[in-house]
């Protein structure tokens, strides 16, 4: 099942794909739909939404938790050892933006790419074991943890380089677990102006989605509609020699086959 928040002539709606069309679900967006606690499959699809275009699928998560250093190749390119525990940081809902939105940032920053699989929580999880965490996944989507490296590296804490407003594109759809299995392996791809700069596979994750949800829920409750980014594979710009960063007008594409592609243009202002 492919779900989305779509924009159409009358506003926005949660929606389910029906062939080449989108049909309305009873909420203004997927955040509101998941907050009801009922699985999306339990809702009856309504009218066809003419001209519907997917936008940011989850505009109001209570929590956005991210895992760094979770692919073996990316860990090696940073010169670190494989971790015993997940390296976590957080974002806000304000950090998120849509699958086709421009990424507007002040000029003069060192802006880098990080293609990621994102997990959407579908049940309240508190101190969940792995089996419960796996059952509590509503689905998967695509994200790019666009990072402002010069701010990230100001201190040992990454937060200030990771939480710039409207800098993390997400979407275009949420794919339910019956149609996508990260354990079986899905590719995570990033391109800049058509050039492939990252390609990894979720089979090589150190901590898989169930591991991450179980670990995080040990110390903070996860609720339906929360978002967990699972980390990026090797190929970030900061690790290149010399380092490479995004320029004004660059087109950043983030793709996971079976889910879709984000296409975002970088715009520097000021």
């Amino acid at each position: 099942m492919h779900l989305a928040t779509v924009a159409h002539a009358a506003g926005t709606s949660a929606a389910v794909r029906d062939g080449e069309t989108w049909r309305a679900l009873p909420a203004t967006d997927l955040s509101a739909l998941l907050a009801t606690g009922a699985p999306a499959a339990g809702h009856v699809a309504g009218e066809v939404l003419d001209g519907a275009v997917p936008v940011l699928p989850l505009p109001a998560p209570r929590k956005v938790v991210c895992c760094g250093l979770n692919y073996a190749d990316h860990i090696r390119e940073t010169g670190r050892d494989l971790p015993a525990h997940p390296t976590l940081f957080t974002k806000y809902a304000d950090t998120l933006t849509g699958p086709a939105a421009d990424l507007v940032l002040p000029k003069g920053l060192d802006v880098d790419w990080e293609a990621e699989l994102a997990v959407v929580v579908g049940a309240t999880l508190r101190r969940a074991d792995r089996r419960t965490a796996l059952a509590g996944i509503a689905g998967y989507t695509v994200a790019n943890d666009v990072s402002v490296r010069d701010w990230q590296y100001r201190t040992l804490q990454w937060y200030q380089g990771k939480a710039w407003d409207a800098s993390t594109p997400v979407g275009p759809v949420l794919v339910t677990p019956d149609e996508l299995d990260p354990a079986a392996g899905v590719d995570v791809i990033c391109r800049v102006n058509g050039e492939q700069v990252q390609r990894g596979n979720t089979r090589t994750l150190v901590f898989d989605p169930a591991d991450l949800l179980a670990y995080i829920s040990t110390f903070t409750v996860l609720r339906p509609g929360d978002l967990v980014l699972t980390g990026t594979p090797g190929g970030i710009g900061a690790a290149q020699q010399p380092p490479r960063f995004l320029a004004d007008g660059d087109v950043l594409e983030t793709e996971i086959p079976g889910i879709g592609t984000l296409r975002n243009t970088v715009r520097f202002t000021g």
Side-chain angles (χ1 to χ4, degrees):
M1 181 180 295
H2 288 207
L3 306 171
T5 297
V6 298
H8 54 94
T12 65
S13 177
V16 58
R17 181 175 283 161
D18 181 11
E20 297 301 314
T21 65
W22 289 99
R23 289 189 175 272
L25 293 172
T28 56
D29 54 60
L30 288 184
S31 290
L33 187 77
L34 291 170
T36 66
H43 294 284
V44 176
E47 64 179 325
V48 171
L49 299 170
D50 292 330
V53 176
V55 293
L56 176 61
L58 297 155
R62 295 192 186 188
K63 292 174 182 169
V64 182
V65 183
C66 309
C67 183
L69 305 176
N70 200 21
Y71 284 81
D73 57 348
H74 179 45
I75 294 168
R76 292 189 189 100
E77 76 178 357
T78 64
R80 295 175 170 90
D81 296 327
L82 292 182
H85 307 289
T87 299
L88 302 176
F89 58 94
T90 59
K91 294 178 179 281
Y92 303 114
D94 289 335
T95 315
L96 308 181
T97 193
D102 286 353
L103 305 179
V104 182
L105 291 160
K107 65 181 179 181
L109 300 175
D110 293 339
V111 182
D112 203 351
W113 53 83
E114 292 196 12
E116 309 208 8
L117 173 75
V119 184
V120 181
V121 180
T124 299
L125 299 175
R126 183 181 283 106
R127 300 184 180 89
D129 59 19
R130 177 181 168 81
R131 181 177 179 180
T132 304
L134 187 63
I137 295 174
Y140 303 96
T141 189
V142 184
N144 198 306
D145 175 27
V146 172
S147 301
V148 180
R149 298 296 187 198
D150 48 328
W151 277 67
Q152 179 183 343
Y153 297 149
R154 286 183 172 190
T155 71
L156 295 178
Q157 301 297 320
W158 298 350
Y159 163 73
Q160 65 254 20
K162 298 286 193 173
W164 291 66
D165 287 349
S167 66
T168 303
V170 176
V173 302
L174 182 159
V175 176
T176 51
D178 59 307
E179 293 194 16
L180 192 91
D181 180 11
V186 294
D187 286 340
V188 178
I189 305 160
C190 185
R191 293 182 291 269
V192 177
N193 300 326
E195 175 193 354
Q196 181 175 290
V197 292
Q198 287 184 291
R199 190 181 194 104
N201 192 281
T202 56
R203 284 192 303 269
T204 67
L205 285 170
V206 179
F207 306 102
D208 71 8
D211 291 331
L212 290 175
L213 267 57
Y215 185 83
I216 294 164
S217 74
T218 303
F219 61 86
T220 187
V221 62
L222 292 171
R223 295 183 174 88
D226 286 348
L227 199 61
V228 175
L229 277 62
T230 61
T232 197
I236 61 169
Q240 298 187 23
Q241 297 297 329
R244 175 184 174 185
F245 299 112
L246 293 166
D248 184 62
D250 281 350
V251 177
L252 182 66
E253 292 182 298
T254 315
E255 179 185 2
I256 297 179
I259 303 178
T261 302
L262 312 174
R263 291 183 179 86
N264 306 94
T265 301
V266 178
R267 303 292 186 196
F268 288 126
T269 62

